[in-house]
Amino acid sequence: MDNVYKKIKAAIKNKATPYLFLSPTVILMLVLLVLPIIMVIYYSFLNNAVVVKEPHLVGLSNYKSIFSDKEFWGAIKNTVFFVTVSVAAHIAIGMGFALLLNSNYFKRGTKTIARVIYVLPWVFTASVIAILWKLMLQPSGIIDYLLSFVQLATKDTEWLSNRKISLAVITFVNIWCGYPFYMISILAGLQGISQDLYESSALDGATAFKRFLYITVPQLKPILLSIMMLDFVWTIQSFSVIWMLTGGGPVNSTQTLSIYIYKLAFHSSKYAKASTAAVFALVVCIIISIFYVKQQKKVRE
Amino acid sequence: MKMKGLFKKLAALSLVGVMSIGVTACGSGTDSSSTSSKNTAEGTAESTAAAEKGGKDTGVTIKFQQWWGVECPEGYVQNICDQFYKDTGITVELLNAPFADTKTAIESGAATGTVADLVSVDSSWVYDFADSGLLTNMSDLLAADGFDQSIFASTWDVNGSIYAVPVVNYAYPLFYNKDILDKAGVTELPKTWSKFKEACQKIKDAGYYSFALNLDASSPSGIQNVYMGFAWASGIHFKKDDGSINVAGNGDLKTFAEYYKELFDAGYIYPGMASLTEADMTSKFASGEIAFIVNSAAAITAWNKDYPDLNLGAAAIPVKDDYTGKSGNCVASWAVGITENSRHKEEALKFFEYLMAGLNGDDASINADLAVTQSAFPGSTLAKPDYSASSEVFQDIYANYNAGYPINEFTGMKEANTIMVDWINELIPYMDGDTDVDTYLNNVQAAIEDIYGN
Amino acid sequence: MVGGYKRSTKVILSILLILGGIFAGFPVLWMFVSSLKPNNRIFSWPPRFFEMTMSLDSYFKVLTDPVKIRYFLNSYFVSASVVILTLILGVMAAYAFSRFDFPLKNLINTMIVSVQAIPPIVLLIPYMSLIVFFKLFNTYFALLLTYLVITLPYCILMMTGYFNTLSMELDEAVMIDGGSRWTALWKILVPISIPGLVSVGMYTFMQAWNEYLFALVLTQTTEMRTVPVGINLLMGQHAYDWGQMMAMSVIGSIPVLILFILFQKYFIAGMSSGGVKG
């Protein structure tokens, strides 16, 4: 009898264990994030929120008006460019730097210095990054000066105010300030890969590139997937740097979804519409994160 | 073992953090005069002290959300609050936020019930704040208090009621760099559009930038201060006398737009205007890159401090060649309003009245002194500012200001920020030559009507 | 070991290393140079690296201002506390994801990733209402909790990935010896995962250190403000104090870099990862 009781108790304990480990996180997330998100979803069905005393439900009319807004689709287009290029460049540069720093070709001291320099873009707050790049990119700034030696620019070359290249320029700045996150994560991940794997393949005479492709990448895959997923979500929301560099201009050429939402909420006091656009972003991210969770599962199996 | 070491390090670090915070919390208590704000504990301590001195501590603390403290000489605004406390026993706590984010701070505060009692307001926010019920109707408050409203130089009204009152007003003159003008051989200040163009050409030939127009979209003030400021000087308006929008088909505005495009096409306007911010523009002017800019007189204080070599002058904005009427002078203001949710409206009103007309409604020396300190004009007609010690530059601004009339057509407009950004978004393609002048003006008209239509 | 290398490979890699250094470091160098210049020399043409008038004036101004020192201490305190809390909670959650299968797993996993997908700008007001409701407005707790929920997802995802690369046999060995899951996690898995923990800790610290929007609205009084708000307060209505802004960023970054240097041995290749099999 006693034995059975113990077994049941153990079984319950076993079932409950993961939930015990998760409970603090889940409670915090539910209260602090899920609750406000539900509020935002609710706002998206109101005529307006926050600035009106007695809002009323209007069904899907905010969604209709957002989807028929040319500016919204312009913002989506800019966001798609901004996010894809940023994420792709982040992973390429982050991986490249991590491998460089992890290689055996350099002395310890060299690598230490390089590691510190490479992580630098990461330690500054968004407004400082924006101001710094604005300082460097404006006409007669240091970038124009340096590029004028190789005939790529003149004193008056405009980077941020040229509608044709402004989106590419802000994407570049975002790449600059975002890659160290990948670099650090990948560097950490590389330490988890057993040397044995490399050694056995080195004996087989595999080239460096093959080793990278067949050992490093598969080993890093779970971490890579995670950081790409997070980076994707964060880049969609990237706001401060763009806002302080261009404010979404010139002529909306750098207006991403988050700038569009900010302008709706804080310039036009249309919180309901801003929430609607935000819900759109949320839905896209949820779809992608479901896909991600499935992938993550596959990687494990 | 390694982990233990790591955690020890982290724990030690955080402990140091906690301790140092404790230390500074104590430290700041001893020199509250130098810090721009005080915490409640200090407030109470001081209140008791005042009560012992025979003061009349009311125990009331009102919060004042503003960006003035950052702009004024250090401790200046705090001193006004301290004096107010001595006189009335009401504590004023200053809440600072960066100018660019003050609107966000006020709006989020209002939505969650944490907004200050008294808030400083920009002219482009006042309609939205009044419309959403964030600001209280000051006409009613002032009437109930029996305050003499005739002393206000101007008020910001929405639907016929006062929602905010400018405490000081800033002129937007044409500043020039004397050294550049000398080098370029511009001996006479340009008074008309054609003379201005000639001057710009000479400056350009001398290798300097002539003029700047800040059209950055994050703070779209350039369209108001520089672009329309230039137009207002020649009596060109975008609203009719009855307040209706008159952009499309407005002949004067069209002539003006074409004149500005000529300036742009001739290369007189500083490159990169579409992402040029006001701060960039003033810094570049002060560094001796640009000969002329239109900017707030408030900048003089900062220039004198940070740019001792700048040989500065101020002139009236050039007018259309055949214009003989009075010039409209663009003004910007530091205005205050009282929030609807404030539990201390009376005390907040009292502090506002104190800023305008002193304790008994008859002494505007605080207002006058603030104006003199900030190179501004008083918002109270009672104030008799003594500008005799002010710089020559300011004397010129003062003379020009008195010769014309103050104007800012954007003040009190619905979603003024959106209107200005929309305007910029139409202006840039026109300046670039992508659209013609009629399309540009028609689109601006449509954009404004669209906002009022919603 | 990869052993003997070709000279040409080393040359190419060295060039890449230097180019990367310029890409990453030059803007920061320029920031440092600007912080030494007086306001009226920041925009001079041609731009110069050295000016006759360079001085440490801005640094002196920042470091002698008790208000600014307070901003720094606030930021350190909040960031350091967030790192500790995030690591503890995140490691626990990651362990559950890595070692168990349970009915709500996918749902919770999806939630953790997608809750951060809503732009903070719209979340601001409902979130702030909640903070005010819990009477946490203008306190350290408001910032602590905010940064905790912002940084937890990354910690969980990273550590789950990390734990997944560690063999189940490790836990089982502990449990066979009569240890609990709890012991297996903290005594065996966590010590092996230090490189991951350090990188997550760095990330968490940076997020908390640099966050601006929530710091702006969730605190109100000067003594609760953090460094990013302090930096933005130097951006006036008409003019910026360039020198002090740059100086504050440089000063703020130094302790972070020191931390990074202290902990970077954990990133170094060849660190004992014995017993860790893919």
Side-chain angles (χ1 to χ4, degrees), chain A residues 14 17-22 24-26 28-37 39-40 43 50 93 97 100-102 104-106 108 110 112 114-128 131-133 135-136 138 140-142 144-146 155 172 175-176 179 181 184-185 187-189 191-194 196 199 211 219 222-223 226-227 229-230 233-234 237 239 244 258 261-262 266 271 274-275 278-279 281-282 285-286 289-290 292-293 297 300, chain C residues 1-2 5 9-10 13-14 16-18 20-21 23-28 30-31 34 42-43 45-47 49 89 92-93 95-98 100 102-106 108-127 130 134 145 148-149 152-154 156-158 161-162 164-165 168 181-182 185 195-196 199 202-203 206 209-210 228 231-232 235 242 245-246 249-250 253 256-257 260-261 264 266-270 273 276-278:
Chain A
N14 217 18
T17 315
Y19 296 104
L20 286 176
F21 275 97
L22 274 170
T25 304
V26 170
L28 274 175
M29 294 266 171
L30 281 177
V31 175
L32 290 174
L33 286 177
V34 176
L35 213 61
I37 287 174
M39 290 293 290
V40 169
Y43 287 168
V50 179
I93 297 174
F97 283 1
L100 262 180
L101 293 178
N102 207 46
N104 299 320
Y105 286 99
F106 302 107
R108 244 185 104 147
T110 319
T112 308
R115 234 178 261 132
V116 173
I117 292 175
Y118 283 2
V119 85
L120 279 175
W122 207 28
V123 297
F124 299 100
T125 186
S127 47
V128 170
I131 286 161
L132 175 64
W133 279 96
L135 190 67
M136 299 201 304
Q138 57 194 304
S140 60
I142 183 75
D144 279 352
Y145 180 67
L146 294 176
K155 185 183 175 193
F172 176 83
I175 292 167
W176 181 80
Y179 80 82
F181 158 69
I184 296 285
S185 309
L187 214 44
Q191 313 314 315
I193 303 175
S194 162
D196 302 353
E199 276 161 30
R211 268 185 281 131
Q219 286 291 312
I223 288 173
S226 301
I227 51 184
M229 178 66 218
L230 285 169
V233 169
W234 293 332
Q237 300 168 10
F239 170 74
M244 296 188 69
S258 57
I261 291 171
Y262 178 84
F266 288 99
Y271 283 90
S275 303
V279 170
L282 179 70
C285 289
I286 288 181
S289 65
I290 289 172
Y292 155 80
V293 168
K297 228 174 146 187
R300 280 207 62 196
Chain C
M1 277 310 293
V2 186
Y5 50 81
T9 320
K10 183 165 182 183
L13 288 180
S14 301
L16 282 177
L17 193 77
I18 291 165
F23 170 71
F26 179 76
V28 180
W30 191 246
M31 173 190 297
S34 301
I42 285 182
F43 290 100
W45 177 270
F49 278 89
L89 296 190
M92 284 163 60
Y95 185 74
F97 281 128
S98 164
F100 295 95
F102 46 96
L104 294 175
K105 186 170 170 177
N106 282 350
I108 296 175
N109 209 348
T110 312
M111 176 191 90
I112 284 172
V113 180
S114 50
V115 281
Q116 357 169 46
I118 201 129
I121 300 143
V122 283
L123 210 57
L124 203 61
I125 284 169
Y127 185 84
L130 213 61
F134 288 126
L145 286 175
L148 188 58
V149 290
L152 263 176
Y154 171 70
I156 296 170
L157 260 56
M158 268 303 277
Y162 215 91
N164 281 347
T165 63
M168 290 272 201
R181 290 269 181 194
W182 187 254
L185 170 62
S199 82
M202 285 288 296
Y203 158 80
M206 298 318 313
W209 180 267
N210 285 332
I231 292 175
N232 278 263
M235 300 176 192
W242 297 95
M245 261 160 41
M246 298 294 173
S249 334
V250 172
S253 68
V256 182
L257 289 176
F260 182 69
I261 294 167
Q264 71 164 338
Y266 297 107
F267 295 116
I268 290 170
S273 46
V276 186
K277 292 261 158 66

Side-chain angles (χ1 to χ4, degrees), chain A residues 48-83:
Chain A
N48 203 352
V50 179
V51 293
V52 287
K53 288 207 179 66
E54 282 159 9
H56 57 265
L57 285 164
V58 291
L60 288 172
S61 85
N62 286 323
Y63 289 86
K64 277 181 204 147
S65 100
I66 287 282
F67 289 144
S68 60
D69 185 357
K70 263 205 325 248
E71 259 192 56
F72 173 76
W73 293 110
I76 294 287
K77 217 177 84 195
N78 291 340
T79 310
V80 168
F81 175 88
F82 182 74
V83 172

Side-chain angles (χ1 to χ4, degrees), chain B residues 2-3 6-7 9-10 13-14 17-18 20-21 24-25 31 34-39 63 65 67 70-71 93 95-99 101 104-105 108-109 111-112 114-116 122 172 278-280 282-284 287 289 295-296 298 306-309 334, chain C residues 39-41 43-45 65-67 69-70 73-74 77 80-81 83-84 87 124-125 128-129 132 137 140 186 190-191 194 197-198 212-213 216-217 220-223 225 229 232-242 259 262-263 265-266 271-272:
Chain B
K2 266 181 188 146
M3 182 197 70
L6 185 72
F7 279 127
K9 271 181 205 167
L10 286 174
L13 274 174
S14 57
V18 178
S20 24
I21 288 203
T24 39
D31 59 5
S34 70
T35 52
S36 51
S37 136
K38 4 185 181 100
N39 61 34
K63 290 179 176 176
Q65 175 88 52
W67 64 89
V70 185
E71 303 283 333
E93 188 178 1
L95 305 178
N96 296 311
F99 171 71
D101 298 307
T104 312
S108 50
T112 53
T114 54
V115 74
D122 188 76
Y172 273 75
E278 191 173 335
D280 288 340
T282 54
S283 302
K284 295 199 167 212
S287 310
E289 298 256 309
N295 200 248
S296 167
D306 291 338
Y307 303 89
D309 302 336
W334 282 358
Chain C
N39 260 349
N40 60 348
R41 302 304 299 164
F43 290 100
S44 54
W45 177 270
D65 183 348
V67 177
I69 298 288
R70 179 67 190 233
L73 294 173
N74 285 342
F77 172 68
S81 318
V83 170
I84 294 168
L87 286 181
L124 203 61
I125 284 169
M128 194 176 160
S129 315
V132 172
F137 180 68
Y140 289 122
W186 294 107
V190 167
I194 282 187
L197 286 174
V198 170
Y212 172 67
L213 189 64
L216 173 77
V217 299
Q220 197 174 42
T221 55
T222 305
E223 67 269 3
R225 295 298 203 184
V229 181
N232 278 263
L233 277 169
L234 292 167
M235 300 176 192
Q237 191 179 3
H238 307 289
Y240 293 174
D241 194 331
W242 297 95
L259 274 183
L262 276 181
F263 287 122
K265 66 172 178 207
Y266 297 107
M271 206 199 86
S272 140

